[in-house]
Amino acid sequence: MPPVQAPPSQQLPAVQKLRVRFAKRGRLRFTSHRDFQRAFERAVRRAALPVAFSHGFSPHPKISYAGAAPTGAASEAEYLEISLTQERDPETVRAALDEALPPGLDVLEVVVAGPGSLADRLEASEWRITLPGVAADAAAAAVEQFLGRDEILVERMTKRGLRSFDCRAAVLRLTVASEPGPVAACAILQVVLRHGTPAVRPDDVLAGVREVATLPVTGPAQLTRLAQGPLTADTGTVDDPLARDRDANQATATGQAGPHQTHTAEGDAAAPSVP
């Protein structure tokens, strides 16, 4: 392993900010946020990126993380920002970081940061909840009962102890699908959650569904974040948070902005919106 990169004796200013989308897949979904931070900082050193450091008595690399998924959940839409003291080609940075990280922590895209805050764009997330042993019709009946409630209280252990909160208000869209083919019963819940305080997680929604209906789940639920970004509340869709950055970069290069992209879950076109 390369030696730990130390901050320079004279701090160089940051001249470029990059925004990174990465995935947590397979067994690496059990990586905690702190574990990923350590792995990513090692990857930055291995990739020999000129990362900028904060000032002060104990300088730290200028890497900020936004909207991290809970431990145990897979994700296709995790985001961070990194500041560099020298400009680098985003695709070269993506390839170098992806090679330096273990399989399962996969760097999907790197773009030059445009104006505005990335964290402010992460208004909602879309999740896929796989329920082994649950038939789609049973899940649909449970979801109907869940959506019929104005409030559903669930409890979760937090750093401050056991906390009770409403998991229903954050749910903007909740639909049911099933795995195709000759497999054992396995219902799929697709849910769009508004980010807020307290943060409602997909396992909280599942707890709320099971609070109002009986679901014969025969194994642990599998949670996967499909997208997170700006929210279109009236349709319950989650936009791509990096679209503005691509548009800004394209406008700088060509004078023309690119199209804005929207993520829509499978089956959403036929599913009614949830107010």
Side-chain angles (χ1 to χ4, degrees), residues 126-140 143 173-180 183-191 206 209 215 217 220-224 226 265-268:
E126 181 178 334
W127 290 88
R128 173 186 172 101
I129 307 174
T130 304
L131 303 175
V134 178
D137 55 352
V143 164
R173 193 178 187 89
L174 182 58
T175 58
V176 181
S178 60
E179 289 285 1
V183 297
C186 184
I188 306 295
L189 304 185
Q190 293 178 179
V191 58
L206 180 57
V209 171
L215 286 178
V217 181
Q222 298 177 17
L223 311 177
T224 303
L226 304 177
E266 296 177 10
D268 277 355

Side-chain angles (χ1 to χ4, degrees), residues 73-217:
S75 177
E76 295 294 317
E78 300 298 287
Y79 294 92
L80 62 83
E81 293 180 316
I82 180 170
S83 296
L84 303 181
T85 60
Q86 300 174 21
E87 291 191 1
R88 290 288 188 269
D89 175 64
E91 177 55 27
T92 301
V93 172
R94 186 208 65 77
L97 288 174
D98 190 53
E99 183 177 359
L101 286 167
L105 295 177
D106 303 321
V107 180
L108 305 178
E109 185 177 9
V110 176
V111 301
V112 177
S117 166
L118 174 62
D120 289 344
R121 299 178 193 175
L122 303 182
E123 299 174 331
S125 289
E126 181 178 334
W127 290 88
R128 173 186 172 101
I129 307 174
T130 304
L131 303 175
V134 178
D137 55 352
V143 164
E144 183 178 0
Q145 295 184 54
F146 178 93
L147 295 177
R149 299 286 189 91
D150 294 327
E151 179 184 70
I152 300 176
L153 298 179
V154 296
E155 293 183 337
R156 189 208 309 155
M157 184 62 68
T158 68
K159 295 179 180 179
R160 298 182 180 180
L162 190 64
R163 184 171 185 178
S164 176
F165 56 92
D166 176 25
C167 71
R168 174 63 184 90
V171 177
L172 296 172
R173 193 178 187 89
L174 182 58
T175 58
V176 181
S178 60
E179 289 285 1
V183 297
C186 184
I188 306 295
L189 304 185
Q190 293 178 179
V191 58
V192 174
L193 292 174
R194 187 195 305 271
H195 295 174
T197 304
V200 176
R201 308 188 314 198
D203 49 328
D204 298 325
V205 175
L206 180 57
V209 171
R210 301 184 73 174
E211 177 73 18
V212 300
T214 301
L215 286 178
V217 181

